[in-house]
């Protein structure tokens, strides 16, 4: 029989047929009877996010894993290349919200939590299926019978069990830490998900008078002078000779009150967490409203209100009307303005 070779190679005519044959014959299934006594070899695929489709980075990474898995199969090992996809919750939510906006459909708040979650799961099924099909088209020799998703019930239980076990063994710990807060999605995000933007700022130097020593001051440098209104202490390095005699003494908070000098790791104003509570409460209340107002109006309103509030401080001081409550209200207005800026 004479076979005529095509002038050009057509991958689409070959790859789909070979991939279907591999899957039908369970060529890459782990734990087969014919390899019952073979030494195991396992690779867990770095699960691609269900936010779109694969790119060149995935192709390179998966090719290297495929080479290793096929090589170890040829050496007679029982190989498991575990496939799966990752939920990428924040990125997936952003993709679905963008789709709703492009299609002029109700927003996630208008849909409500349950209906929006249904849309997210629908997108997961669509995008996740695309990704798996792409891997199969690449010829990835995964055990497709074991395909998993990071939010599968079994995997979620396994994650909880591992974290609890590590915590009980003292290998990980739980503590309070500063986080990156996304005011739009109302959740903490990792450093990798933060878009760093450089802004031109100023370094302000504030002199705190030492109580009982007229003419003596301790200077704190800060980029956020408005937080001075909530300071409750000044921290200094305990081994710094310049401030050692001041530890335990009181300093006068400029304009309003008295702070205590504490030993710390460096010279810094200590802001009481409760001073930010009104800002947080106001931010939560106005958050829904901010979403419905155009960005430029929000920022203009914030600028005008903030300017009036802060200009009122020296005016009230000059007239002798300045009180702690006046400063508190100004700080509150500044907090609302900051929330507007971050959510606009």
């Amino acid at each position: 029989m004479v076979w005529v070779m095509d002038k050009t190679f057509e991958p689409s005519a070959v790859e789909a047929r070979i991939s279907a044959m591999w899957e039908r014959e369970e060529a890459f299934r782990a734990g087969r009877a014919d390899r019952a006594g073979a030494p195991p070899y396992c690779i867990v695929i770095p699960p691609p996010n269900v936010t779109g489709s694969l790119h060149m980075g995935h192709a390179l990474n998966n090719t290297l894993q495929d080479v290793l898995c096929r090589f170890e199969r040829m050496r007679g090992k029982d190989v498991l290349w575990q496939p799966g996809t990752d939920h990428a919750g924040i990125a997936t939510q952003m993709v679905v919200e963008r789709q709703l906006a492009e299609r002029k459909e109700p927003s996630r708040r208008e849909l409500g939590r349950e209906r929006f979650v249904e849309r997210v799961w629908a997108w997961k099924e669509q995008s996740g299926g695309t990704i798996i099909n792409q891997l199969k088209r690449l010829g990835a020799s995964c055990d497709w019978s074991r395909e998993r998703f990071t939010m599968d019930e079994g995997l979620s239980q396994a994650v909880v069990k591992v974290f609890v076990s590590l915590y009980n063994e003292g290998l990980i710990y739980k503590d309070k830490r500063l986080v990156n807060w996304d005011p739009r999605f109302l959740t903490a995000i990792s450093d990798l998900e933060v878009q760093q933007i450089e802004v031109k700022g100023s370094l302000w130097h504030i002199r705190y008078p030492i109580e009982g020593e007229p003419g003596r001051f301790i200077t704190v440098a800060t980029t956020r002078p408005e937080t001075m209104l909530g300071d409750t202490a000044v921290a200094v390095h305990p081994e710094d000779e310049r401030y050692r005699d001041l530890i335990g003494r009181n300093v006068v908070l400029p304009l309003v009150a008295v702070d205590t000098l504490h030993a710390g790791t460096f010279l810094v104003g200590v802001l009481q967490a409760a001073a930010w509570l009104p800002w947080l409460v106001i931010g939560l209340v106005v958050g829904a409203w901010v979403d419905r107002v155009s960005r430029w109006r929000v920022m203009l309103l914030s600028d005008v209100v903030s300017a009036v509030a802060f200009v009122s401080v020296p005016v009230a001081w000059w007239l002798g009307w300045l009180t702690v409550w006046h400063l508190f209200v100004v700080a509150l207005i500044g907090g609302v303005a900051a929330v507007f800026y971050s959510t606009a």
Side-chain angles (χ1 to χ4, degrees):
M1 181 180 294
V2 179
W3 292 90
V4 179
M5 181 178 293
D6 293 335
K7 184 177 181 180
T8 58
F9 176 66
E10 294 291 341
S12 59
V14 179
E15 292 175 350
R17 174 171 53 83
I18 293 179
S19 177
M21 180 188 67
W22 283 342
E23 197 163 354
R24 183 175 62 252
E25 300 295 332
E26 297 184 338
F28 309 130
R29 187 181 182 90
R32 293 184 303 177
D34 60 329
R35 301 209 176 187
Y41 182 83
C42 180
I43 292 180
V44 178
I45 195 171
N49 296 337
V50 289
T51 51
S53 55
L54 301 184
H55 51 66
M56 286 297 291
H58 293 107
L60 172 61
N61 186 292
N62 291 325
T63 297
L64 299 177
Q65 295 173 65
D66 196 26
V67 169
L68 292 172
C69 289
R70 291 176 182 270
F71 175 68
E72 295 299 341
R73 284 195 192 93
M74 295 173 65
R75 298 178 68 189
K77 292 185 179 181
D78 184 14
V79 175
L80 168 61
W81 187 9
Q82 173 66 54
T85 51
D86 191 9
H87 59 281
I90 297 174
T92 302
Q93 177 180 335
M94 188 163 51
V95 169
V96 175
E97 286 199 55
R98 189 180 297 122
Q99 289 178 346
L100 294 174
E102 291 173 351
R103 298 170 184 173
K104 308 295 184 181
E105 296 184 82
S107 66
R108 83 179 152 96
R109 286 194 173 91
E110 293 170 333
L111 283 174
R113 178 181 175 83
E114 292 186 2
R115 291 179 59 195
F116 182 74
V117 170
E118 290 176 0
R119 296 295 295 267
V120 172
W121 277 106
W123 168 250
K124 177 265 172 185
E125 294 299 328
Q126 175 187 340
S127 180
T130 300
I131 290 171
I132 294 302
N133 288 331
Q134 284 182 302
L135 288 171
K136 291 180 178 180
R137 288 284 302 277
L138 287 172
S141 59
C142 299
D143 184 351
W144 300 111
S145 66
R146 298 171 181 253
E147 180 191 340
R148 300 303 296 268
F149 177 56
T150 48
M151 290 189 69
D152 287 347
E153 183 177 354
L155 292 183
S156 298
Q157 292 176 352
V159 169
V160 172
K161 182 179 185 303
V162 169
F163 270 89
V164 171
S165 297
L166 292 174
Y167 178 80
N168 291 335
E169 294 172 13
L171 299 176
I172 60 174
Y173 66 93
K174 180 180 179 181
D175 206 345
K176 294 181 179 180
R177 290 289 184 269
L178 290 176
V179 298
N180 303 304
W181 182 256
D182 189 320
R184 178 175 178 81
F185 295 117
L186 301 180
T187 186
I189 58 178
S190 72
D191 292 341
L192 296 176
E193 295 168 311
V194 174
Q195 182 181 0
Q196 304 289 348
I197 300 177
E198 290 189 8
V199 295
K200 185 177 180 180
S202 301
L203 191 61
W204 303 82
H205 294 76
I206 303 175
R207 296 198 308 173
Y208 288 73
I210 306 299
E211 187 181 42
E213 292 192 37
R216 188 179 181 186
F217 303 88
I218 187 169
T219 304
V220 175
T222 178
T223 58
R224 300 291 302 276
E226 68 274 14
T227 63
M228 174 199 70
L229 302 174
D231 281 353
T232 58
V234 174
V236 298
H237 196 289
E239 298 179 3
D240 194 320
E241 294 292 343
R242 294 173 298 172
Y243 312 118
R244 182 173 293 179
D245 67 309
L246 296 177
I247 295 176
R249 299 275 300 278
N250 289 333
V251 294
V252 179
L253 182 64
L255 304 181
V256 288
V258 176
D259 279 359
T260 300
L261 204 62
H262 294 282
T265 55
F266 48 84
L267 179 59
V268 62
V270 180
L271 178 65
Q272 186 177 15
W276 292 87
L277 185 59
W279 297 20
L280 177 60
V281 173
I282 294 296
L284 294 176
V285 172
V286 303
W289 178 79
V290 170
D291 277 350
R292 303 176 185 274
V293 182
S294 61
R295 179 188 177 107
W296 72 269
R297 288 179 179 175
V298 171
M299 299 184 72
L300 179 62
L301 178 63
S302 300
D303 285 336
V304 172
V305 173
S306 298
V308 173
F310 284 104
V311 167
S312 71
V313 172
V315 173
W317 192 10
W318 180 65
L319 295 174
W321 297 343
L322 187 63
T323 65
V324 173
W325 284 108
H326 185 162
L327 293 171
F328 177 78
V329 171
V330 171
L332 200 60
I333 293 173
V336 174
V339 172
F340 281 174
Y341 265 100
S342 64
T343 55

Short mmCIF file of all heavy atoms in Angstrom, two decimals, residues 234-272:
data_model
loop_
_atom_site.label_atom_id
_atom_site.label_comp_id
_atom_site.label_asym_id
_atom_site.label_seq_id
_atom_site.Cartn_x
_atom_site.Cartn_y
_atom_site.Cartn_z
N VAL A 234 4.85 58.57 72.30
CA VAL A 234 6.00 58.67 71.41
C VAL A 234 6.98 57.58 71.81
O VAL A 234 7.32 57.46 72.99
CB VAL A 234 6.68 60.06 71.49
CG1 VAL A 234 7.96 60.09 70.67
CG2 VAL A 234 5.72 61.14 71.02
N ALA A 235 7.42 56.78 70.85
CA ALA A 235 8.34 55.68 71.14
C ALA A 235 9.75 56.06 70.71
O ALA A 235 9.96 56.66 69.66
CB ALA A 235 7.89 54.40 70.41
N VAL A 236 10.72 55.70 71.54
CA VAL A 236 12.14 55.95 71.23
C VAL A 236 12.92 54.66 71.41
O VAL A 236 12.48 53.74 72.11
CB VAL A 236 12.73 57.05 72.14
CG1 VAL A 236 12.01 58.37 71.94
CG2 VAL A 236 12.67 56.63 73.60
N HIS A 237 14.08 54.60 70.79
CA HIS A 237 14.94 53.43 70.96
C HIS A 237 15.54 53.46 72.37
O HIS A 237 16.11 54.48 72.78
CB HIS A 237 16.05 53.41 69.90
CG HIS A 237 16.72 52.07 69.78
ND1 HIS A 237 17.54 51.57 70.75
CD2 HIS A 237 16.66 51.14 68.79
CE1 HIS A 237 17.98 50.37 70.37
NE2 HIS A 237 17.46 50.09 69.19
N PRO A 238 15.42 52.36 73.12
CA PRO A 238 15.88 52.39 74.52
C PRO A 238 17.38 52.61 74.67
O PRO A 238 17.84 53.01 75.75
CB PRO A 238 15.45 51.01 75.05
CG PRO A 238 15.34 50.15 73.84
CD PRO A 238 14.86 51.05 72.74
N GLU A 239 18.16 52.37 73.61
CA GLU A 239 19.61 52.52 73.71
C GLU A 239 20.11 53.82 73.11
O GLU A 239 21.31 54.05 73.05
CB GLU A 239 20.30 51.33 73.02
CG GLU A 239 19.97 49.99 73.67
CD GLU A 239 20.64 48.83 72.94
OE1 GLU A 239 21.40 49.10 71.97
OE2 GLU A 239 20.42 47.67 73.32
N ASP A 240 19.20 54.67 72.66
CA ASP A 240 19.60 55.95 72.09
C ASP A 240 19.87 56.94 73.22
O ASP A 240 18.96 57.30 73.99
CB ASP A 240 18.49 56.48 71.16
CG ASP A 240 18.98 57.63 70.29
OD1 ASP A 240 19.74 58.48 70.79
OD2 ASP A 240 18.60 57.67 69.10
N GLU A 241 21.11 57.37 73.34
CA GLU A 241 21.52 58.25 74.44
C GLU A 241 20.76 59.58 74.43
O GLU A 241 20.57 60.19 75.49
CB GLU A 241 23.03 58.53 74.35
CG GLU A 241 23.90 57.31 74.58
CD GLU A 241 23.84 56.81 76.02
OE1 GLU A 241 23.39 57.59 76.89
OE2 GLU A 241 24.23 55.66 76.27
N ARG A 242 20.31 60.01 73.28
CA ARG A 242 19.63 61.31 73.20
C ARG A 242 18.31 61.32 73.93
O ARG A 242 17.85 62.37 74.40
CB ARG A 242 19.40 61.69 71.73
CG ARG A 242 20.67 61.93 70.93
CD ARG A 242 20.33 62.12 69.46
NE ARG A 242 19.70 60.92 68.89
CZ ARG A 242 19.17 60.87 67.66
NH1 ARG A 242 19.18 61.96 66.91
NH2 ARG A 242 18.64 59.75 67.21
N TYR A 243 17.67 60.14 74.03
CA TYR A 243 16.32 60.11 74.58
C TYR A 243 16.19 59.24 75.83
O TYR A 243 15.11 59.12 76.40
CB TYR A 243 15.34 59.58 73.52
CG TYR A 243 15.48 60.25 72.18
CD1 TYR A 243 15.84 59.52 71.05
CD2 TYR A 243 15.26 61.62 72.03
CE1 TYR A 243 15.98 60.13 69.81
CE2 TYR A 243 15.39 62.24 70.80
CZ TYR A 243 15.75 61.48 69.69
OH TYR A 243 15.89 62.09 68.47
N ARG A 244 17.31 58.65 76.29
CA ARG A 244 17.20 57.70 77.39
C ARG A 244 16.63 58.34 78.65
O ARG A 244 15.84 57.73 79.37
CB ARG A 244 18.58 57.08 77.68
CG ARG A 244 18.56 56.04 78.78
CD ARG A 244 19.90 55.35 78.92
NE ARG A 244 20.21 54.54 77.74
CZ ARG A 244 21.35 53.85 77.60
NH1 ARG A 244 22.27 53.90 78.55
NH2 ARG A 244 21.57 53.14 76.52
N ASP A 245 16.99 59.60 78.92
CA ASP A 245 16.50 60.25 80.14
C ASP A 245 15.04 60.66 80.03
O ASP A 245 14.43 61.06 81.03
CB ASP A 245 17.36 61.48 80.46
CG ASP A 245 17.19 62.57 79.41
OD1 ASP A 245 17.31 62.25 78.19
OD2 ASP A 245 16.91 63.72 79.79
N LEU A 246 14.47 60.54 78.83
CA LEU A 246 13.08 60.96 78.64
C LEU A 246 12.09 59.80 78.76
O LEU A 246 10.88 60.04 78.80
CB LEU A 246 12.92 61.61 77.26
CG LEU A 246 13.70 62.91 77.03
CD1 LEU A 246 13.49 63.40 75.60
CD2 LEU A 246 13.27 63.97 78.03
N ILE A 247 12.60 58.57 78.81
CA ILE A 247 11.70 57.41 78.86
C ILE A 247 10.86 57.47 80.14
O ILE A 247 11.38 57.63 81.24
CB ILE A 247 12.50 56.09 78.80
CG1 ILE A 247 13.21 55.99 77.45
CG2 ILE A 247 11.59 54.89 79.01
CD1 ILE A 247 14.10 54.78 77.31
N GLY A 248 9.56 57.39 79.97
CA GLY A 248 8.65 57.47 81.11
C GLY A 248 8.14 58.86 81.38
O GLY A 248 7.21 59.03 82.17
N ARG A 249 8.77 59.85 80.73
CA ARG A 249 8.32 61.24 80.91
C ARG A 249 7.12 61.50 80.00
O ARG A 249 6.80 60.73 79.09
CB ARG A 249 9.46 62.20 80.55
CG ARG A 249 10.70 62.04 81.41
CD ARG A 249 10.58 62.84 82.68
NE ARG A 249 10.40 64.26 82.40
CZ ARG A 249 11.40 65.10 82.12
NH1 ARG A 249 12.66 64.66 82.07
NH2 ARG A 249 11.14 66.39 81.91
N ASN A 250 6.46 62.63 80.23
CA ASN A 250 5.35 63.04 79.40
C ASN A 250 5.77 64.08 78.39
O ASN A 250 6.63 64.94 78.67
CB ASN A 250 4.21 63.60 80.25
CG ASN A 250 3.51 62.52 81.05
OD1 ASN A 250 3.48 61.36 80.65
ND2 ASN A 250 2.92 62.91 82.16
N VAL A 251 5.19 64.01 77.18
CA VAL A 251 5.36 65.06 76.19
C VAL A 251 3.99 65.63 75.89
O VAL A 251 2.97 64.95 76.04
CB VAL A 251 6.01 64.52 74.90
CG1 VAL A 251 7.42 64.07 75.14
CG2 VAL A 251 5.19 63.40 74.29
N VAL A 252 3.97 66.87 75.49
CA VAL A 252 2.70 67.54 75.21
C VAL A 252 2.35 67.35 73.74
O VAL A 252 3.15 67.70 72.86
CB VAL A 252 2.80 69.04 75.54
CG1 VAL A 252 1.48 69.74 75.23
CG2 VAL A 252 3.18 69.23 77.01
N LEU A 253 1.17 66.79 73.49
CA LEU A 253 0.71 66.65 72.12
C LEU A 253 0.36 68.04 71.60
O LEU A 253 -0.48 68.73 72.17
CB LEU A 253 -0.53 65.75 72.07
CG LEU A 253 -1.11 65.48 70.68
CD1 LEU A 253 -0.12 64.71 69.83
CD2 LEU A 253 -2.42 64.71 70.79
N PRO A 254 1.03 68.48 70.54
CA PRO A 254 0.76 69.83 70.03
C PRO A 254 -0.73 70.08 69.82
O PRO A 254 -1.44 69.24 69.28
CB PRO A 254 1.52 69.85 68.70
CG PRO A 254 2.62 68.86 68.90
CD PRO A 254 2.04 67.76 69.77
N LEU A 255 -1.19 71.19 70.30
CA LEU A 255 -2.56 71.69 70.16
C LEU A 255 -3.54 71.13 71.17
O LEU A 255 -4.45 71.82 71.60
CB LEU A 255 -3.13 71.43 68.75
CG LEU A 255 -2.34 71.96 67.57
CD1 LEU A 255 -3.07 71.63 66.27
CD2 LEU A 255 -2.15 73.45 67.68
N VAL A 256 -3.42 69.85 71.57
CA VAL A 256 -4.54 69.27 72.30
C VAL A 256 -4.24 68.63 73.64
O VAL A 256 -4.91 68.89 74.62
CB VAL A 256 -5.27 68.23 71.43
CG1 VAL A 256 -6.06 68.91 70.33
CG2 VAL A 256 -4.31 67.22 70.85
N ALA A 257 -3.27 67.71 73.75
CA ALA A 257 -3.21 66.88 74.95
C ALA A 257 -1.78 66.52 75.31
O ALA A 257 -0.83 67.14 74.88
CB ALA A 257 -4.03 65.61 74.71
N VAL A 258 -1.65 65.46 76.16
CA VAL A 258 -0.36 65.03 76.67
C VAL A 258 -0.14 63.57 76.30
O VAL A 258 -1.04 62.75 76.38
CB VAL A 258 -0.29 65.19 78.21
CG1 VAL A 258 1.01 64.64 78.74
CG2 VAL A 258 -0.45 66.66 78.58
N ASP A 259 1.07 63.24 75.85
CA ASP A 259 1.47 61.87 75.55
C ASP A 259 2.49 61.41 76.57
O ASP A 259 3.09 62.19 77.28
CB ASP A 259 2.12 61.76 74.16
CG ASP A 259 1.08 61.70 73.06
OD1 ASP A 259 -0.11 61.72 73.40
OD2 ASP A 259 1.47 61.64 71.88
N THR A 260 2.70 60.09 76.61
CA THR A 260 3.74 59.50 77.44
C THR A 260 4.86 58.98 76.55
O THR A 260 4.60 58.41 75.50
CB THR A 260 3.19 58.34 78.29
OG1 THR A 260 2.16 58.85 79.12
CG2 THR A 260 4.27 57.73 79.16
N LEU A 261 6.11 59.17 76.97
CA LEU A 261 7.25 58.69 76.19
C LEU A 261 7.56 57.26 76.59
O LEU A 261 7.75 56.95 77.76
CB LEU A 261 8.46 59.60 76.46
CG LEU A 261 9.52 59.64 75.36
CD1 LEU A 261 8.91 60.20 74.08
CD2 LEU A 261 10.68 60.51 75.79
N HIS A 262 7.57 56.36 75.62
CA HIS A 262 7.82 54.94 75.86
C HIS A 262 9.10 54.50 75.18
O HIS A 262 9.55 55.10 74.21
CB HIS A 262 6.67 54.08 75.32
CG HIS A 262 5.38 54.29 76.04
ND1 HIS A 262 5.10 53.74 77.27
CD2 HIS A 262 4.27 55.01 75.70
CE1 HIS A 262 3.89 54.10 77.65
NE2 HIS A 262 3.36 54.87 76.71
N ALA A 263 9.67 53.41 75.68
CA ALA A 263 10.82 52.79 75.02
C ALA A 263 10.31 51.91 73.89
O ALA A 263 9.47 51.04 74.10
CB ALA A 263 11.62 51.94 76.01
N GLY A 264 10.80 52.15 72.71
CA GLY A 264 10.39 51.35 71.55
C GLY A 264 11.59 50.98 70.72
O GLY A 264 12.70 50.89 71.23
N THR A 265 11.39 50.77 69.43
CA THR A 265 12.50 50.40 68.56
C THR A 265 13.04 51.59 67.80
O THR A 265 14.15 51.54 67.28
CB THR A 265 12.03 49.33 67.55
OG1 THR A 265 10.88 49.84 66.86
CG2 THR A 265 11.66 48.05 68.26
N PHE A 266 12.27 52.68 67.70
CA PHE A 266 12.73 53.86 66.99
C PHE A 266 11.85 55.02 67.41
O PHE A 266 10.87 54.85 68.12
CB PHE A 266 12.68 53.66 65.47
CG PHE A 266 11.38 53.08 64.99
CD1 PHE A 266 10.28 53.90 64.74
CD2 PHE A 266 11.26 51.71 64.80
CE1 PHE A 266 9.10 53.37 64.30
CE2 PHE A 266 10.06 51.18 64.38
CZ PHE A 266 8.98 51.99 64.13
N LEU A 267 12.19 56.20 66.98
CA LEU A 267 11.44 57.40 67.34
C LEU A 267 10.22 57.51 66.43
O LEU A 267 10.34 57.68 65.23
CB LEU A 267 12.32 58.64 67.19
CG LEU A 267 11.66 59.99 67.52
CD1 LEU A 267 11.17 59.98 68.94
CD2 LEU A 267 12.65 61.11 67.29
N VAL A 268 9.05 57.42 67.02
CA VAL A 268 7.84 57.43 66.21
C VAL A 268 6.64 57.77 67.08
O VAL A 268 6.61 57.47 68.26
CB VAL A 268 7.62 56.04 65.54
CG1 VAL A 268 7.42 54.97 66.57
CG2 VAL A 268 6.44 56.09 64.58
N GLY A 269 5.64 58.43 66.48
CA GLY A 269 4.40 58.68 67.19
C GLY A 269 3.57 57.41 67.21
O GLY A 269 3.47 56.69 66.22
N VAL A 270 2.96 57.09 68.34
CA VAL A 270 2.15 55.89 68.48
C VAL A 270 0.69 56.29 68.36
O VAL A 270 0.17 57.01 69.20
CB VAL A 270 2.41 55.20 69.84
CG1 VAL A 270 1.54 53.95 69.96
CG2 VAL A 270 3.88 54.85 69.98
N LEU A 271 0.03 55.82 67.32
CA LEU A 271 -1.36 56.17 67.07
C LEU A 271 -2.27 55.12 67.66
O LEU A 271 -2.12 53.94 67.42
CB LEU A 271 -1.61 56.26 65.55
CG LEU A 271 -3.04 56.57 65.12
CD1 LEU A 271 -3.41 57.97 65.58
CD2 LEU A 271 -3.18 56.46 63.61
N GLN A 272 -3.19 55.54 68.47
CA GLN A 272 -4.14 54.62 69.08
C GLN A 272 -5.09 54.09 68.02
O GLN A 272 -5.65 54.83 67.23
CB GLN A 272 -4.94 55.34 70.17
CG GLN A 272 -5.85 54.41 70.96
CD GLN A 272 -6.55 55.15 72.07
OE1 GLN A 272 -6.59 56.36 72.07
NE2 GLN A 272 -7.11 54.43 73.01
#
